[in-house]
Amino acid sequence: MEKEKWDRIKNYKLNSINLNSLENEIQNHFQNIILNPNIKLLKIFYEYLHTKNNLLGIEYRCLCWLDMIYNFPTNLNKPFLNEPVYMELGDFKNKYMITNKRTELLNILIDFISDKKKQSNLDYMTVLIGGSFTDLDIKLPNDIDLVIIKPNNLEQYNTDFNATYLYASNSIPKGLDIEFLPESLDKSSFKIFSRIIALGNNAEIKEKSKLHINSNSFKLRKIVELKI
């Protein structure tokens, strides 16, 4: 009887919200940095998602975020949430520049960072590198998955550090998969959580495939912090 009462309450809440709007709001949290989101809205996310039999990648990741950060329980296999490990650039080169392709990609990144430092009069920039580039079993990665830490003293809408603008203007070189995130790396934001998860895991089922899934598995990948 108690379960039936809860189901009626839950269905009433969900039916009072347009599901397209709800899915758009999940996308909004995935695409934009929203710190300290509304807990009532997150509960609605949870009520909607945890009853679905098959999930899109973004929905799977959202349920993991709700569990790992906000303690909304789920039985899903969850990804690793590992912290970056700092390395000196020289040590990073010695460990990871094991092929010409890797060296070529790192040089592209260093040149890109050099331009950004000149534009903003910075002595260095902090980057987080993960994904296939820190997997030494992959000798010829297609690109470098990375986060560039956006210094707090930059203007909020500085387009030099806006990935959407830079991709639209073809200002990011081929071979770099870049996201700009604030120094706090506050995982209360679904976007920040998602990017850290993407750097630190090799998922069996890739989110970009857009498949509906009911289970996934993950292998840990190192996230390296560099100052360039």
Side-chain angles (χ1 to χ4, degrees):
M1 188 67 181
E2 187 64 29
K3 181 180 183 300
E4 292 177 1
K5 178 182 176 182
W6 166 243
D7 286 343
R8 286 198 303 272
I9 293 171
K10 179 176 64 177
N11 289 335
Y12 172 77
K13 288 180 179 178
L14 290 178
N15 289 336
S16 67
I17 298 173
N18 182 287
L19 288 184
N20 286 334
S21 297
L22 183 56
E23 290 166 355
N24 288 339
E25 191 59 40
I26 293 172
Q27 280 284 349
N28 181 40
H29 279 66
F30 181 66
Q31 294 170 353
N32 297 288
I33 295 173
I34 300 173
L35 301 176
N36 302 312
N38 185 298
I39 295 298
K40 291 182 179 179
L41 179 59
L42 299 190
K43 187 172 183 179
I44 293 173
F45 287 177
Y46 175 73
E47 291 170 349
Y48 168 55
L49 294 174
H50 93 286
T51 56
K52 295 184 70 174
N53 292 324
N54 294 292
L55 301 162
L56 291 173
I58 184 176
E59 295 173 336
Y60 192 105
R61 192 178 293 191
C62 186
L63 266 180
C64 291
W65 172 64
L66 292 171
D67 183 339
M68 297 167 73
I69 304 301
Y70 292 99
N71 298 316
F72 289 99
T74 175
N75 292 324
L76 294 177
N77 292 326
K78 290 177 278 294
F80 297 96
L81 187 57
N82 49 328
E83 295 296 324
V85 176
Y86 178 76
M87 292 183 72
E88 295 289 342
L89 181 58
D91 293 335
F92 183 80
K93 289 180 177 180
N94 289 336
K95 181 170 183 177
Y96 291 103
M97 299 308 102
I98 56 176
T99 62
N100 290 338
K101 176 65 173 179
R102 284 173 164 271
T103 300
E104 175 189 339
L105 288 170
L106 184 65
N107 287 337
I108 291 171
L109 173 59
I110 290 173
D111 288 344
F112 180 80
I113 293 293
S114 178
D115 289 341
K116 292 297 163 197
K117 289 190 298 186
K118 290 176 183 177
Q119 290 170 359
S120 302
N121 195 28
L122 296 169
D123 294 328
Y124 67 88
M125 298 197 69
T126 301
V127 303
L128 308 179
I129 296 177
S132 60
F133 206 80
T134 57
D135 186 341
L136 289 173
D137 290 333
I138 300 177
K139 308 299 183 186
L140 304 172
N142 293 322
D143 56 15
I144 301 181
D145 296 301
L146 74 142
V147 162
I148 297 178
I149 302 299
K150 190 174 177 179
N152 288 334
N153 59 353
L154 292 179
E155 295 178 14
Q156 183 178 1
Y157 299 106
N158 187 330
T159 53
D160 290 334
F161 294 87
N162 182 291
T164 301
Y165 172 82
L166 292 174
Y167 276 113
S169 61
N170 295 316
S171 299
I172 294 181
K174 184 178 180 181
L176 303 182
D177 185 354
I178 291 176
E179 187 73 68
F180 294 94
L181 295 181
E183 290 183 52
S184 67
L185 291 179
D186 185 345
K187 300 175 191 70
S188 68
S189 163
F190 182 38
K191 178 175 181 175
I192 293 175
F193 172 89
S194 295
R195 192 57 177 172
I196 297 300
I197 290 300
L199 291 179
N201 290 267
N202 182 16
E204 180 182 4
I205 302 173
K206 309 301 183 187
E207 180 175 305
K208 62 181 64 175
S209 67
K210 302 300 182 184
L211 293 174
H212 286 81
I213 58 176
N214 54 31
S215 183
N216 207 347
S217 61
F218 304 90
K219 292 182 179 179
L220 181 67
R221 282 173 165 169
K222 180 179 284 189
I223 303 174
V224 177
E225 176 183 334
L226 298 174
K227 294 189 187 302
I228 298 178

